[in-house]
């Protein structure tokens, strides 16, 4: 089985690093593509032994499982480019926040009668094999396709199937979650440094405390509130600290964050569903690089004219 | 080598669970003591195969490394009780927040010429072998004693030696840190539930996201700010969320928390250094249980008469 990545950025890099560390697939069976070969992650991918190309079509031809690891607004653009190259064997896995299965299927149905699509939401800790992934299976993908994806993603962390309409909330929680944690560790380390600790030690202790607590919760049947109670001895240091956090509305800020990320994800989905990609969203140099790839015609990539990309443009049209 | 715990509460339970899971010491070489046999942690300790006793003296006799895992205000009381039973082989490791090495040494010097004392600050995730521990070595403890403790504590997480005057700050950060995390996880799950996730899944995803992020940070040379940047795609969901956190002073609340915990730790240290333990701090039933133990006289446990516990009362007639 071969795996391909459309996109060679943070997500592709993190997934490849995790998969290869897990030994779930050999690097020479992995291809990644991007028109931009100057991305810092491209070097990383090459070093890991993945095959890098500037041609998305080449990636498609070399893969069985194809991850779409590009930004949401690029998805329609990519689907138009690779649509003609999709075969029956392909399992398309979209990792793009807010992009619905139905929008992808609608696009691909112009090229194949039964495109196999799965939507997933993962996060960057797949790079250390502690990711959090959920997925939903599309109309023409089988249960076995879901199991295959689950096997891949479970090698790099937690993975479970969900109803598609929960995925935006998952994006807000565990998709964005690592960023909340990085912010928290930076601030905790500042606190430690304020009270006299050297920076390196403070970062180390802060991250270790968060890791240990999260592990305790995952391995316990107890409620987080109960675990919190167990740490807070009467009149002690911890309950004093908790009071200042509560006074500042700490919990509310985190609820706000999850909500804001989820709402923005839904906004992005809404924009994508409008099915128009403005020429302003693509760099001319990037578009040119794509058009230089073998097999790509300007009619298949309807950006210049601001065309509705979800309409079928007959490949027999003459070159623009 | 045998390990003993004075105190059979949350900390003793967590350490024993971690040590036995790590295989660094067999349960039958561990003794824990507490006058209170009804603590929920006591049955947990029994189940793990630890020898339980109500006699702190018995725990002392059976141990080489003796952890003091009681609340800070109980420490002087315990030291008076077991002081006469400390031998040269004993390594006393205090885990009590805010209690200084010098206050413990001062007490034990009434009984021995060179008591080997170490002070450590750990945290409850030792129970899953992902603890964070720091320690400082006392006047009469050797480098080998430090290495022995480090070996034990490294089996249950991160462990490093520090200057003693950093330990209060460590208490504020990684000692209390798990409680900050549990609070955050409860709130994150609330956020997930608000946006439509079932509770169990929300708790699971929140904890997994924190665990993964922490692991990334520990495994990476990069600054947390850089790692944060990498998660924030332009105009994306994450940067929108971060703006809310910053607007609400999220970072500041965490700095406040670390500071508050550290300051309270120093307050507790100051109270302990005053060297008086008020009768109001001990339950009569607990005191009675202690006094019923073989070898304990009421003169060595000077609460009844409000005596300064750090003065030598050896040999005085029974009260």
């Amino acid at each position: 089985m071969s795996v391909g990545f459309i996109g060679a950025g943070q997500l592709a890099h993190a997934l490849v690093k995790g998969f290869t560390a897990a030994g779930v697939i050999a690097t020479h069976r992995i291809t990644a593509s991007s028109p931009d070969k100057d991305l810092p992650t491209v070097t990383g991918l090459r070093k890991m032994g993945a095959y890098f190309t500037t041609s998305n079509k080449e990636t498609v031809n070399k893969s069985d499982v194809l991850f779409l690891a590009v930004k949401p607004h690029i998805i329609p653009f990519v689907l138009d480019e690779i649509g003609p190259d999709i075969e029956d064997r392909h399992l398309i896995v979209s990792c793009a926040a807010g992009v619905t299965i139905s929008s992808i299927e609608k696009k691909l149905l112009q090229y194949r009668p039964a495109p196999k699509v799965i939507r997933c939401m993962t996060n960057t800790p797949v790079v250390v094999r502690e990711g959090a992934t959920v997925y939903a299976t599309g109309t023409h993908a089988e249960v076995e396709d879901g199991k295959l994806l689950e096997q891949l993603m479970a090698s790099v962390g937690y993975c479970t199937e969900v109803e598609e309409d929960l995925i935006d909330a998952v994006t807000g929680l565990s998709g964005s979650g690592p960023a909340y944690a990085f912010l928290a560790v930076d601030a905790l380390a500042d606190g430690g440094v304020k009270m006299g600790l050297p920076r390196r030690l403070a970062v180390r202790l802060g991250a270790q405390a968060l890791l240990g607590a999260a592990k305790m919760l995952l391995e316990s049947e107890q409620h987080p509130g109960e675990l919190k109670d167990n740490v807070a001895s009467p009149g002690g240091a911890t309950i004093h600290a908790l009071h200042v956090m509560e006074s500042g509305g700490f919990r509310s800020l985190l609820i706000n964050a999850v909500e804001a990320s989820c709402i923005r994800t839904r906004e992005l989905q809404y924009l994508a569903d409008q099915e128009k990609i403005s020429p302003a969203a693509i760099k001319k140099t990037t578009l040119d690089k794509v058009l230089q790839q073998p097999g790509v015609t300007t009619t298949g990539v309807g950006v210049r004219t601001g065309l509705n990309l979800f309409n079928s443009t007959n490949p027999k049209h003459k070159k623009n």
Side-chain angles (χ1 to χ4, degrees), chain A:
Chain A
M1 179 193 68
S2 299
V3 171
F5 291 86
I6 304 293
Q10 295 286 341
L11 183 59
H13 182 264
L15 282 170
V16 172
K17 193 156 187 190
F19 289 156
T20 52
V24 71
I25 181 158
T27 43
H28 64 256
R29 304 193 76 85
I30 302 178
T31 309
S33 58
S34 166
D36 182 358
K37 54 187 193 303
D38 295 325
L39 292 170
T41 42
V42 168
T43 326
L45 283 162
R46 277 208 173 101
K47 277 195 195 146
M48 287 189 275
Y51 176 69
F52 175 78
T53 167
T54 46
S55 165
N56 289 336
K57 282 171 169 313
E58 189 181 349
T59 299
V60 176
N61 293 336
K62 291 187 145 108
S63 315
D64 305 308
V65 177
L66 187 66
F67 284 91
L68 305 182
V70 291
K71 295 185 176 51
H73 67 281
I74 303 289
I75 293 278
F77 187 64
V78 159
L79 292 175
D80 253 337
E81 187 195 344
I82 65 173
D85 302 284
I86 305 289
E87 314 258 329
D88 281 343
R89 75 176 189 280
H90 281 110
L91 176 60
I92 311 294
V93 181
S94 166
C95 306
V99 178
T100 58
I101 290 173
S102 75
S103 67
I104 299 173
E105 286 180 342
K106 190 170 166 189
K107 192 77 181 144
L108 292 179
L109 281 165
Q110 302 167 42
Y111 303 101
R112 297 209 75 71
K116 296 196 290 184
V117 177
I118 295 187
R119 176 180 176 186
C120 92
M121 170 49 51
T122 182
N123 65 1
T124 49
V126 290
V127 73
V128 291
R129 299 182 60 198
E130 287 289 357
T133 307
V134 301
Y135 69 95
T137 317
T139 322
H140 310 286
E142 312 281 338
V143 169
E144 294 81 44
D145 297 315
K147 291 295 164 206
L148 175 63
L149 180 69
E150 197 168 318
Q151 240 184 321
L152 270 172
M153 300 310 295
S155 76
V156 292
Y158 173 70
C159 180
T160 191
E161 185 186 9
V162 294
E163 300 89 332
E164 189 185 3
D165 59 14
L166 297 187
I167 295 189
D168 296 335
V170 172
T171 307
L173 176 52
S174 54
S176 296
Y180 316 154
F182 297 136
L183 213 72
V185 175
D186 204 10
L188 286 170
D190 278 346
V193 169
K194 178 173 179 179
M195 306 318 290
L197 300 180
R199 173 67 57 173
R200 272 184 73 99
L201 179 64
V203 174
R204 185 77 203 251
L205 291 172
Q208 185 64 37
L210 283 203
L211 190 149
K215 190 165 192 223
M216 275 180 82
L217 185 51
L218 287 170
E219 297 191 4
S220 166
E221 294 298 311
Q222 291 180 298
H223 189 283
E226 202 175 341
L227 293 171
K228 179 265 290 173
D229 291 352
N230 291 346
V231 184
S233 11
T238 304
I239 194 70
H240 277 70
L242 288 178
H243 189 190
V244 292
M245 288 167 66
E246 300 283 9
S247 301
F250 180 79
R251 293 178 188 252
S252 187
L253 294 180
L254 286 165
I255 300 177
N256 290 346
V258 174
E259 181 180 53
S261 173
C262 177
I263 286 174
R264 178 61 179 168
T265 302
R266 292 174 183 163
E267 273 177 13
L268 292 171
Q269 172 184 324
Y270 176 69
L271 291 170
D273 281 349
Q274 283 172 26
E275 299 177 8
K276 290 191 187 295
I277 183 166
S278 137
I282 307 275
K283 281 193 283 197
K284 179 72 167 355
T285 47
T286 306
L287 181 54
D288 277 359
K289 283 178 193 168
V290 172
L291 290 172
Q292 279 164 37
Q293 300 308 320
V296 180
T297 62
T298 49
T299 48
V301 179
V303 167
R304 276 190 195 148
T305 50
L307 280 181
N308 185 330
L309 286 175
F310 282 89
N311 283 344
S312 172
T313 47
N314 189 329
K316 293 204 187 83
H317 282 184
K318 282 202 288 226
K319 223 174 154 153
N320 201 355

